[in-house]
Amino acid sequence: MRFQYLAIFLFFFATTYAQQEDKSFTVKYINQEIKLDGILDEPIWSEAEAAGDFWEYFPIDSIQAREQSEIKMLYDETNLYIGITVYTAGSNYAIESLRRDFRAGNSDNITLLFDTFNDGNNAFLFGTNPYGVRREGLVSGGGLDLRGFTISWDVKWRGESKMYENYYTSELIIPLTSFKFREGERKWRFNSYRFDTQSNESSTWMQIPQNQNIYGLTFMGDMIFEKPLGKSRTPFAVIPYITTGWFNDREASLQESSVKVGGDAKISIGNSMNLDVTLNPDFSQVEVDDQVTNLSRFEVSLPEKRQFFIDNNDLFASFGGSRDANPFFSRRIGIAEDPDGNTIENPIVAGVRLSGKVNNDLRLGFFNIQTEKDALNEIPSVNNSMLALQHLVFSRSNIGLFFINKQTLGDDAFIVDEERYNRVLGIDYNLISADNTWSGKYYLHKSFQPESSGKDLSTGVNTQYNSRNWNIFTDWVYIGENYRSDLGFIRRTDIVKGGTGIRRTFWPENSIFNNHSFRIFPTFIWRPSQDMQNTDYSIRASWEGRFQDQSRVQAQWVNRYTYLFNSFDPTRTEGAVELPADSDYYYSSYQLEYNSDRRRIFAYGLEATFGDFYNGNRFSLEGSLNLRIQPKALVSVQFNYDKISLPDPYSSADIWLISPRFDLTFSKSLFWATLVQYSNQRDNLGINSRLQWRFAPLSDLFLVYTDNYFVDRFSPKFRSINLKLTYWLNI
């Protein structure tokens, strides 16, 4: 036993002190103008201190980068100026297109991360590529996984690039009002990561081991400002819009034209808080959701794409368990059900949203959003509000408190008593150790609704250990049968769920593999109201190999048990005989997956699943094909085929989902995107085509055409055309 304690102590000692020494550079204050042209020819750039000596992250994380990068920064009272020199092995760059907010991992680019509150939890992200295409985003939760990474956030800034032989330069001008920070601050934590497709190298300014995310906020250096930062000087932005549209709903025999006006306002409160106000918002320009084939018994969650909900979204959406017990899911707002159970839009009348830092350790989030009454569809007016607090403890962990209230207004006869209000109160502890070796979440939530009779708790424990060779986690959830969160995403109630996963990763030398790993992940679900009856389990065993050329292969075996409390048809065929209630099934399946080198002009991924499915069989083939026509176009196709074979009298089906997408970028300000989605499970062929002209920073003209057809008889279902103008005005 003493030997084990000694081994654990030595391991933690090694992981704590094996980190690279701190790196820093000084950001010089200037009083002269920088011309934005991507060319670093102003004399002041030669006086700026450089952040250099990048480390390789892939394929080897223990050596200096072969192709180096150099970052210089200057600032004045208004802007942060960034000059970047990126050295390359040639000029054969790979890019997706000229569209803003590009994906980074499959193209040449460099990204900058700014942790302005030095807390290791949240950061602003700005990136560019050799063509001067820009992207910006937010990182939350320490960057532990993709749930804390979004590039849906938008803010005003400028950037240009210039290509030379064997290197390119970029010049960025970011208004200080684009950041949130403490007045009088002298230091921000900083890191940068870069993808180089020609040398097949990823690199970072601070050395990061490959078992950590490249955008994680654990391994960061310091940027030291020559003089303290001042107060924000642009406290107010107004973003009005006007839209005109026409739609024809063939199912409802309804045709209508409309003109709509509204807008948003952004009001800075000090340097650290932001108040967002929306009035009569319109989301007609937002990209349509990607359709999915659903063979499960449960609802599928889709990501938020509306800009109003993005900024500081982690303050509201990170409570509870993201898969089973998320008490707040912003897509619930503005969506309702008609008397037939169909999901329809429920317009938002107005909303306010306050979020940001109160002081060094405390974050505050609050929103209040009112939705419109729709008497024709028996939908009442609803007030939706939430208060969230998050306080930093220890080095990077935090304690969060929240209160959610969904309140029905009015006294209409169609309002059911038990749905007049729903309230949820909860506390979360989020663990992130200083070196990211340990992370986890521990929470307790309680709901309140009319005639609540106990069993209305949701609680969970999640702990993860992550080292270079081992990743071990355990996750346990309890959701009472009367627990409700009407603004959340709760797959089902009355469960105790437990799962533990173990992954062992190997890093071979002189191999075609960069790394490969074995993983086992058993999950069990019990139902407390049925004397802890085991209702489900899945046991997954998998092997994954990542090649030196960035392609990837995976093989997986899954053994499942399912007890059906309610009848269910996995094919969702109209009029089909459903699998009966109170029946159980044992079934196993196999899965093979391959993803090619995504740096290539043509890249693809294929995944095949075959084996048992309930009391029958399943064969599924899923894939993606991507072709880049640089730098103007990206053509892609996503497809999913499922052959479900169940014995008579149950339904068998061939289910298709095919989604070609065409992205054309005529310039860095004019984009045309078209998405076609065919799903015979949903009986829908959908076309969404969007032309966007960004005529000024964050100011756009959209022309959006949407068309939907029934698949079985190929007749029109719904058609609309919208023209929308938005303009960002700083006051």
Side-chain angles (χ1 to χ4, degrees):
M1 182 65 70
R2 282 180 292 182
F3 173 77
Q4 291 177 341
Y5 287 143
L6 177 61
I8 293 172
F9 172 80
L10 292 175
F11 177 82
F12 279 107
F13 183 90
T15 56
T16 302
Y17 291 97
Q19 299 180 32
Q20 183 187 348
E21 293 182 4
D22 292 340
K23 296 172 71 173
S24 65
F25 64 97
T26 300
V27 185
K28 183 179 177 61
Y29 184 85
I30 61 172
N31 290 301
Q32 56 200 88
E33 184 179 351
I34 299 288
K35 179 183 177 182
L36 182 67
D37 54 13
I39 305 172
L40 308 181
D41 55 355
E42 288 86 358
I44 193 64
W45 283 121
S46 63
E47 301 178 23
E49 189 174 334
D53 296 326
F54 272 56
W55 285 84
E56 189 169 275
Y57 173 81
F58 178 91
I60 301 172
D61 58 10
S62 59
I63 63 173
Q64 291 280 304
R66 289 164 287 154
E67 302 296 337
Q68 281 292 325
S69 308
E70 187 178 82
I71 301 171
K72 296 183 176 182
M73 297 191 196
L74 306 165
Y75 76 112
D76 56 23
E77 294 293 332
T78 307
N79 298 309
L80 179 66
Y81 304 92
I82 304 173
I84 306 171
T85 304
V86 178
Y87 296 97
T88 65
S91 301
N92 185 25
Y93 301 113
I95 68 167
E96 275 197 342
S97 67
L98 299 176
R99 177 183 290 277
R100 190 167 177 161
D101 290 340
F102 54 87
R103 289 179 57 197
N106 61 351
S107 60
D108 286 277
N109 59 84
I110 189 166
T111 296
L112 314 177
L113 293 166
F114 300 91
D115 177 3
T116 59
F117 287 98
N118 305 301
D119 59 13
N121 277 285
N122 297 273
F124 298 91
L125 176 153
F126 295 88
T128 189
N129 69 13
Y131 286 77
V133 183
R134 290 167 287 155
R135 70 179 195 141
E136 66 273 271
L138 300 172
V139 178
S140 62
L144 292 180
D145 53 48
L146 282 172
R147 288 173 296 181
F149 184 98
T150 178
I151 54 173
S152 298
W153 175 69
D154 285 330
V155 71
K156 270 189 175 183
W157 63 291
R158 296 180 293 155
E160 294 291 344
S161 295
K162 177 73 172 178
M163 289 183 278
Y164 302 90
E165 185 177 358
N166 297 328
Y167 74 99
Y168 67 90
T169 58
S170 297
E171 210 166 26
L172 315 179
I173 300 180
I174 307 176
L176 289 173
T177 54
S178 299
F179 303 96
K180 298 299 177 187
F181 56 88
R182 290 183 292 266
E183 183 179 355
E185 185 62 78
R186 292 290 301 268
K187 181 191 79 171
W188 292 353
R189 296 175 76 238
F190 170 78
N191 198 18
S192 174
Y193 62 89
R194 171 200 167 187
F195 295 102
D196 182 350
T197 64
Q198 297 174 87
S199 63
N200 189 28
E201 181 182 60
S202 304
S203 57
T204 57
W205 181 54
M206 288 293 292
Q207 186 181 7
I208 301 178
Q210 281 192 48
N211 66 290
Q212 301 286 342
N213 289 327
I214 197 170
Y215 54 83
L217 305 184
T218 303
F219 303 88
M220 303 186 80
D222 295 326
M223 46 186 288
I224 311 296
F225 293 97
E226 196 172 54
K227 57 181 283 189
L229 293 170
K231 188 174 182 179
S232 172
R233 293 175 175 242
T234 311
F236 192 39
V238 178
I239 314 159
Y241 80 84
I242 180 170
T243 182
T244 179
W246 167 88
F247 75 87
N248 183 3
D249 188 339
R250 294 294 186 93
E251 289 185 280
S253 300
L254 181 62
Q255 194 174 169
E256 189 175 297
S257 300
S258 64
V259 176
K260 188 176 179 181
V261 295
D264 297 332
K266 291 182 175 291
I267 305 166
S268 295
I269 302 175
N271 282 31
S272 306
M273 298 286 293
N274 199 73
L275 178 66
D276 292 287
V277 181
T278 187
L279 180 64
N280 199 27
D282 172 79
F283 304 111
S284 60
Q285 87 287 359
V286 175
E287 293 182 22
V288 296
D289 291 321
D290 294 331
Q291 294 186 20
V292 296
T293 298
N294 187 4
L295 300 178
S296 76
R297 294 162 285 162
F298 310 111
E299 181 185 10
V300 176
S301 66
L302 297 170
E304 178 63 82
K305 297 183 178 181
R306 297 171 294 181
Q307 185 64 32
F308 178 77
F309 294 98
I310 297 298
D311 194 11
N312 280 322
N313 188 52
D314 69 292
L315 252 176
F316 305 97
S318 62
F319 289 96
S322 60
R323 179 173 176 82
D324 297 293
N326 187 349
F328 176 69
F329 180 54
S330 60
R331 289 179 60 102
R332 297 291 187 209
I333 301 175
I335 299 292
E337 287 189 356
D338 65 14
D340 297 323
N342 299 312
T343 300
I344 62 174
E345 181 183 358
N346 180 211
I348 295 173
V349 177
V352 296
R353 192 169 178 268
L354 177 68
S355 60
K357 280 268 193 177
V358 177
N359 56 40
N360 289 0
D361 298 327
L362 180 63
R363 297 174 75 203
L364 165 69
F366 171 78
F367 71 75
N368 188 284
I369 300 172
Q370 185 71 37
T371 58
E372 187 177 274
K373 176 181 175 180
D374 183 355
L376 180 65
N377 289 301
E378 299 184 2
I379 299 172
S381 177
V382 174
N383 183 263
N384 310 273
S385 61
M386 181 174 181
L387 172 67
L389 298 169
Q390 191 181 89
H391 196 279
L392 187 70
V393 295
F394 308 119
S395 59
R396 300 173 63 200
S397 303
N398 63 73
I399 295 176
L401 296 168
F402 74 89
F403 178 71
I404 297 172
N405 183 47
K406 181 181 179 182
Q407 183 83 43
T408 299
L409 305 181
D411 196 27
D412 299 282
F414 54 77
I415 300 176
V416 182
D417 286 343
E418 56 263 28
E419 295 182 356
R420 289 191 177 276
Y421 69 85
N422 171 244
R423 296 165 187 144
V424 186
L425 177 67
I427 181 171
D428 286 39
Y429 172 66
N430 296 288
L431 166 68
I432 309 177
S433 67
D435 61 357
N436 252 24
T437 300
W438 291 94
S439 62
K441 177 185 285 286
Y442 315 92
Y443 59 90
L444 175 63
H445 305 162
K446 178 177 172 58
S447 68
F448 305 85
Q449 51 272 336
E451 302 178 7
S452 179
S453 56
K455 299 181 181 178
D456 49 14
L457 295 179
S458 169
T459 186
V461 174
N462 176 289
T463 304
Q464 178 168 272
Y465 168 78
N466 182 26
S467 71
R468 183 174 182 82
N469 296 323
W470 291 95
N471 183 282
I472 304 171
F473 77 92
T474 184
D475 185 23
W476 292 83
V477 177
Y478 164 75
I479 305 175
E481 61 181 308
N482 296 321
Y483 176 78
R484 275 176 49 193
S485 185
D486 292 353
L487 290 183
F489 187 83
I490 314 297
R491 292 179 185 272
R492 55 177 166 172
T493 58
D494 190 22
I495 64 168
V496 171
K497 178 180 178 180
T500 298
I502 301 175
R503 182 194 296 271
R504 174 64 164 97
T505 302
F506 300 87
W507 306 84
E509 296 182 5
N510 303 318
S511 169
I512 61 172
F513 290 107
N514 175 265
N515 67 77
H516 66 96
S517 60
F518 293 92
R519 185 190 191 206
I520 185 168
F521 179 23
T523 302
F524 293 85
I525 298 177
W526 299 270
R527 192 165 184 178
S529 67
Q530 302 295 319
D531 296 325
M532 295 300 288
Q533 176 186 352
N534 178 217
T535 66
D536 302 80
Y537 71 68
S538 67
I539 301 173
R540 300 172 183 268
S542 63
W543 171 84
E544 181 184 52
R546 295 180 178 267
F547 296 94
Q548 297 289 1
D549 66 355
Q550 299 194 34
S551 58
R552 183 176 67 88
V553 64
Q554 178 177 276
Q556 181 174 243
W557 169 78
V558 185
N559 176 253
R560 291 184 175 92
Y561 166 73
T562 302
Y563 184 92
L564 294 180
F565 285 92
N566 302 297
S567 59
F568 168 63
D569 172 30
T571 69
R572 288 175 168 77
T573 302
E574 186 175 354
V577 176
E578 298 182 327
L579 298 174
D582 299 318
S583 58
D584 58 358
Y585 305 88
Y586 296 86
Y587 50 109
S588 297
S589 62
Y590 303 87
Q591 185 182 90
L592 297 174
E593 181 181 354
Y594 177 76
N595 290 280
S596 70
D597 184 353
R598 56 184 178 171
R599 298 171 298 151
R600 303 305 180 192
I601 296 297
F602 175 72
Y604 63 92
L606 294 172
E607 179 184 309
T609 303
F610 52 93
D612 306 326
F613 189 66
Y614 291 95
N615 59 345
N617 297 288
R618 170 190 177 188
F619 171 74
S620 297
L621 184 64
E622 182 178 347
S624 63
L625 310 173
N626 296 276
L627 175 65
R628 290 186 298 213
I629 306 172
Q630 296 189 162
K632 298 290 187 179
L634 174 66
V635 181
S636 62
V637 178
Q638 307 282 335
F639 65 88
N640 198 117
Y641 168 67
D642 293 281
K643 183 177 182 61
I644 308 300
S645 302
L646 303 181
D648 292 335
Y650 309 112
S651 178
S652 297
D654 293 286
I655 303 173
W656 287 93
L657 174 60
I658 305 174
S659 304
R661 183 190 298 268
F662 308 90
D663 279 290
L664 302 178
T665 52
F666 303 102
S667 68
K668 287 189 286 185
S669 59
L670 186 60
F671 320 116
W672 182 25
T674 299
L675 173 64
V676 180
Q677 299 188 91
Y678 168 86
S679 172
N680 62 352
Q681 186 186 53
R682 295 174 177 268
D683 190 19
N684 189 73
L685 172 64
I687 303 171
N688 179 265
S689 190
R690 184 178 71 164
L691 183 66
Q692 176 185 0
W693 174 34
R694 176 147 286 186
F695 59 87
L698 295 186
S699 303
D700 300 281
L701 179 67
F702 294 96
L703 178 62
V704 183
Y705 170 75
T706 302
D707 209 349
N708 290 276
Y709 296 85
F710 291 102
V711 170
D712 58 353
R713 58 183 183 271
F714 197 71
S715 60
K717 182 188 296 187
F718 181 88
R719 180 175 296 162
S720 70
I721 301 176
N722 288 278
L723 181 67
K724 180 175 181 179
L725 177 69
T726 66
Y727 185 73
W728 184 300
L729 176 65
N730 284 334
I731 298 177

